[in-house]
Amino acid sequence: MRQLILRIILTMTSLLTVVCTPSSAEQFVSRQTFFTKPPKLLDVRTTFNAARVPWPTYYYTIDVPSGSGESLEYIKIQKRGGSETLNYFLDRTIAFKGTPDHRGEALAIKSTLWDEETESLTITFDTLVSPGTTFTLGIKPKRNPENGGIYLFGVTVFPQGQNPLGLYLGNGRLHFYGGDDGSLD
């Protein structure tokens, strides 16, 4: 009896493995691609953190680990906190391997799109960012907010594929000083 139960369990486990295993470790049965090891948002910073400063650059440093299984195709950055709408120089978006302090090879950007309704940028790479790469994305607002305060930017990354499953990496936080918040006028 014990052997029969054991055989049934082993048979069911084998059947479930065959039925539930996708054709690739990075695809669901619905052909949705995803990262098997998640990328990480390492740092978010600005070249100037004073209110009203024109032409700053906001840097987002992301690590795509070697075990991620898929290359990164595009990123969505959405303002989630802060009182003002920011306007960007979309054609001045940059990306490079490494960090702002240790820049490497440039990464080509295919497009940078702005969605005014959701206050989000979608940056698509011309060449995919391969696993094992740490890179930095630089976006250029026309100016910092008029008034000081904390601004939060949600960062979501998407793997290559026709049906990618986005992975939310968390919020990047920038603190601007000066203006109507009463500090450093």
Side-chain angles (χ1 to χ4, degrees):
M1 181 69 162
R2 187 172 178 198
Q3 288 181 342
L4 178 63
I5 292 173
L6 185 57
R7 266 192 222 162
I8 291 171
I9 290 172
L10 287 173
T11 302
M12 290 178 65
T13 303
S14 296
L15 287 173
L16 286 174
T17 301
V18 169
V19 171
C20 295
T21 301
S23 60
S24 164
E26 294 82 29
Q27 291 187 353
F28 286 116
V29 174
S30 66
R31 301 283 186 236
Q32 192 165 32
T33 56
F34 60 95
F35 296 108
T36 54
K37 185 173 183 185
K40 293 179 185 160
L41 178 63
L42 300 178
D43 188 34
V44 177
R45 66 169 94 163
T46 179
T47 51
F48 300 101
N49 63 355
R52 297 185 295 275
V53 172
W55 312 300
T57 302
Y58 301 164
Y59 290 114
Y60 296 79
T61 302
I62 297 169
D63 179 57
V64 182
S66 56
S68 65
E70 293 285 352
S71 294
L72 188 146
E73 185 171 6
Y74 65 98
I75 298 172
K76 183 175 180 180
I77 298 174
Q78 181 179 19
K79 188 183 86 150
R80 294 181 176 251
S83 59
E84 297 175 43
T85 298
L86 300 172
N87 295 305
Y88 298 93
F89 293 109
L90 301 179
D91 61 339
R92 294 188 184 168
T93 303
I94 61 169
F96 50 87
K97 292 181 180 179
T99 67
D101 298 328
H102 298 94
R103 289 185 184 209
E105 174 188 345
L107 298 172
I109 295 185
K110 185 177 190 176
S111 66
T112 302
L113 303 173
W114 170 248
D115 184 331
E116 189 173 342
E117 187 176 317
T118 63
E119 293 189 69
S120 63
L121 288 165
T122 301
I123 299 98
T124 303
F125 291 94
D126 193 34
T127 302
L128 302 172
V129 179
S130 59
T133 304
T134 296
F135 73 97
T136 299
L137 180 67
I139 59 173
K140 295 191 171 274
K142 294 182 179 179
R143 69 167 177 77
N144 280 342
E146 186 68 27
N147 300 299
I150 295 172
Y151 280 69
L152 300 175
F153 300 90
V155 179
T156 305
V157 293
F158 295 83
Q160 69 180 8
Q162 291 185 337
N163 192 14
L165 179 62
L167 179 64
Y168 180 69
L169 302 184
N171 285 325
R173 180 182 183 268
L174 294 176
H175 192 158
F176 301 102
Y177 299 93
D180 288 343
D181 72 347
S183 62
L184 301 175
D185 279 336

